[in-house]
Amino acid sequence: MSTKRTVGMFESFDRSGRATRSSHYCAGCGHGILHKLITEALVELGLQDRTVVVSPIGCAVFGYYYWDVGNIGAAHGRAPAVATAVSRTIPQAVVVAYQGDGDLAAIGFNCAVQAANRGERMVTFMVNNCTYGMTGGQMSPTSLLGQRTLTSPQGREAATEGHPLRVAELFNQLQAPVYIARCSVADTKRIFQTKQIVRKALELQRDGKGYAYVEVLSPCPTAMGLDALASARFTAEQMEQVFPLGVIRDHSTQAVPLPPPAPACSVPDFFARYRDRDFPAPVEDATYTERRMIVAGSGGQGILVLGLCLIEAGALAQRFVTWYPTYGPEQRGGFASCALVIGGRTIGSPHVEHPDILVCLTRPMLERFLPLVKPGGVVFCDTMILGPDAPSRPDVRIVAVPATELAAANGSSRAANTVMLTALLHTRVTGLPEEAILHARDATLRKKPSLIALNRHVFDAGLAWCRQNLP
Ligand code: SF4
């Protein structure tokens, strides 16, 4: 990158952790050129303060080091989804989804094609260098036939790896896009043509006219294993045979500015709109201390049901609640856990990193979650998973309950979760009223009513044990 500052980029790329004017891109890479073209066009059009660039996973992941505009980093392939959200919530924004061919044409293809098909108000720049550059040069959807890559050492074959994906031509089958073009940064002449195309796509965004797709053929000397000149020659001579340059669609004259998106609803409105009508609305209550809990065990132990029962009780008690399940791919026997938050005000995040309360029915889950419990927290464990070598913590209260044993003795070992519910009720750690828990206990079996009687029996046995054995 030239030492002359491009207006629109940061004067020093301090966000990289170093006070530097050099980018992280390899010598001969096309990304830096395209960054500069986009920036110059934004500045010339006076759009810098309105622009939000959504960066990909890939070599351009650090776009926010350079562009002095709004920046967001998206998960792999999801830049179009994030860009859609920005475009719809900030109608005056000029939204740029910046992606590579691996990010867009592989993992994120569905996301990209859906955004194009919806005609979102954004421009997507796809840097096509026929390879996964950041991860070392694997075959990407746009790799050429015969191209040797890390994962196609004999060269890409149509019979086994398919043909190079021509994204611009595929998008040209859609009705909504306003502008589709392919250009290149392989040499000076092509860079000047690209400058015009970039500017045109950004003008469309300035005017709010809809979706634009610009594919930019770009050298990647590092992954191609070529020097900068040979890489640029490969881009101009071989890539263009498969990916011809030109404006493929230009509906900019006929296109009219899109109407502003429907106003986004506020957070309270959102919850009011989607609230489950079977439950009373939650009520703000500053006196209720938020409980963050994890219930963990293995598939088939009713871990998720116990979590649902607790949040259902919380909802009945007009608390704010979230339930966030996690489980392995196995239907039975794999790990299962759920994170619950029960609060007296709107919950910021359903993620529970450090629970106040942990309920554990298997040893591996105890080993995994015990270290995360907050000091002063309470851990409910099935007695059978404890032993002399069980993990322990002096700063948390461990409540051992013979849950599986009691459940088995009263009809079904699979009702150990119900015994744990009685321990939670007896110790009052959740702060939820007994009536709400009793109602939820039966309600969570609404799809299996034949089990309600057995479950109540186990519940009564568990509660009797707790009254005798727990403070
Ligand atoms: S690996 Fe390729 S795309 Fe990535 S920075 Fe280097 S030259 Fe550019």
Side-chain angles (χ1 to χ4, degrees), residues 158-360:
T160 46
E161 285 99 34
H163 293 267
L165 203 64
R166 303 206 291 176
V167 177
E169 284 77 2
L170 282 167
F171 280 14
N172 197 30
Q173 303 306 308
L174 307 173
Q175 290 191 8
V178 175
Y179 187 71
I180 300 173
R182 186 183 286 121
C183 47
S184 166
V185 290
D187 59 26
T188 310
K189 184 180 110 195
R190 289 171 170 81
I191 290 171
F192 274 103
Q193 290 162 348
T194 300
K195 184 176 168 72
Q196 302 308 316
I197 286 172
V198 166
R199 186 184 166 101
K200 177 83 182 189
L202 289 168
E203 282 173 348
L204 282 170
Q205 302 316 304
R206 176 198 61 193
D207 300 338
K209 286 189 170 178
Y211 183 85
Y213 171 82
V214 176
E215 183 172 323
V216 184
L217 305 189
S218 171
C220 173
T222 303
M224 289 173 182
L226 301 170
D227 63 34
L229 200 58
S231 174
R233 207 176 292 131
F234 174 88
T235 307
E237 293 172 4
Q238 297 193 44
M239 286 175 65
E240 283 181 26
Q241 289 181 30
V242 181
F243 303 110
L245 305 186
V247 175
I248 296 168
R249 175 186 297 189
D250 183 357
H251 293 173
S252 56
T253 315
Q254 312 89 294
V256 293
L258 297 176
C265 70
S266 66
V267 172
D269 283 351
F270 175 86
F271 283 112
R273 193 180 297 175
Y274 295 106
R275 186 168 67 73
D276 190 331
R277 301 289 159 192
D278 290 341
F279 296 97
V283 173
E284 297 263 351
D285 179 359
T287 65
Y288 182 82
T289 306
E290 185 178 86
R291 267 74 164 183
R292 304 185 77 80
M293 305 176 53
I294 289 177
V295 182
S298 60
Q301 288 185 310
I303 296 299
L304 306 187
V305 173
L306 176 55
L308 279 171
C309 177
L310 290 165
I311 60 149
E312 188 151 340
L316 287 167
Q318 295 189 278
R319 302 299 179 200
F320 294 83
V321 293
T322 62
W323 175 78
Y324 189 78
T326 313
Y327 38 84
E330 309 91 335
Q331 276 216 310
R332 294 261 171 233
F335 77 85
S337 69
C338 53
L340 325 174
V341 185
I342 304 173
R345 54 193 285 262
T346 304
I347 293 163
S349 166
H351 177 63
V352 175
E353 197 169 357
H354 296 291
D356 312 293
I357 302 166
L358 171 65
V359 180
C360 254

Side-chain angles (χ1 to χ4, degrees), residues 324-402:
Y324 189 78
T326 313
Y327 38 84
E330 309 91 335
Q331 276 216 310
R332 294 261 171 233
F335 77 85
S337 69
C338 53
L340 325 174
V341 185
I342 304 173
R345 54 193 285 262
T346 304
I347 293 163
S349 166
H351 177 63
V352 175
E353 197 169 357
H354 296 291
D356 312 293
I357 302 166
L358 171 65
V359 180
C360 254
L361 286 178
T362 65
R363 181 70 163 267
M365 290 289 100
L366 182 64
E367 288 166 0
R368 177 170 165 188
F369 288 115
L370 181 64
L372 304 179
V373 177
K374 273 188 200 157
V378 190
V379 179
F380 294 85
C381 304
D382 194 327
T383 314
M384 72 176 190
I385 69 171
L386 295 173
D389 57 344
S392 188
R393 287 233 339 238
D395 59 340
V396 300
R397 178 183 163 204
I398 306 260
V399 180
V401 181

Side-chain angles (χ1 to χ4, degrees), residues 1-7 9 21 36 40:
M1 190 170 284
S2 132
T3 52
K4 183 165 165 275
R5 180 189 173 203
T6 300
V7 178
M9 286 191 177
R21 297 280 305 278
K36 190 164 178 168
E40 285 176 352

Side-chain angles (χ1 to χ4, degrees), residues 24-31 59 127 129 131-134 218-223:
H24 73 289
Y25 296 116
C26 312
C29 176
H31 274 296
C59 284
V127 174
N129 51 28
T131 187
Y132 280 88
M134 185 182 81
S218 171
C220 173
T222 303

Side-chain angles (χ1 to χ4, degrees), residues 388-449:
D389 57 344
S392 188
R393 287 233 339 238
D395 59 340
V396 300
R397 178 183 163 204
I398 306 260
V399 180
V401 181
T404 304
E405 189 186 325
L406 269 173
N410 286 280
S412 172
S413 61
R414 289 175 58 184
N417 58 346
T418 299
V419 179
M420 283 303 190
L421 181 64
T422 64
L424 291 160
L425 171 64
H426 175 77
T427 52
R428 295 189 169 85
V429 290
T430 64
L432 296 174
E434 182 170 345
E435 329 70 86
I437 291 180
L438 294 180
H439 185 91
R441 174 200 63 186
D442 292 348
T444 43
L445 288 173
R446 55 173 72 84
K447 287 186 182 162
K448 297 179 182 170

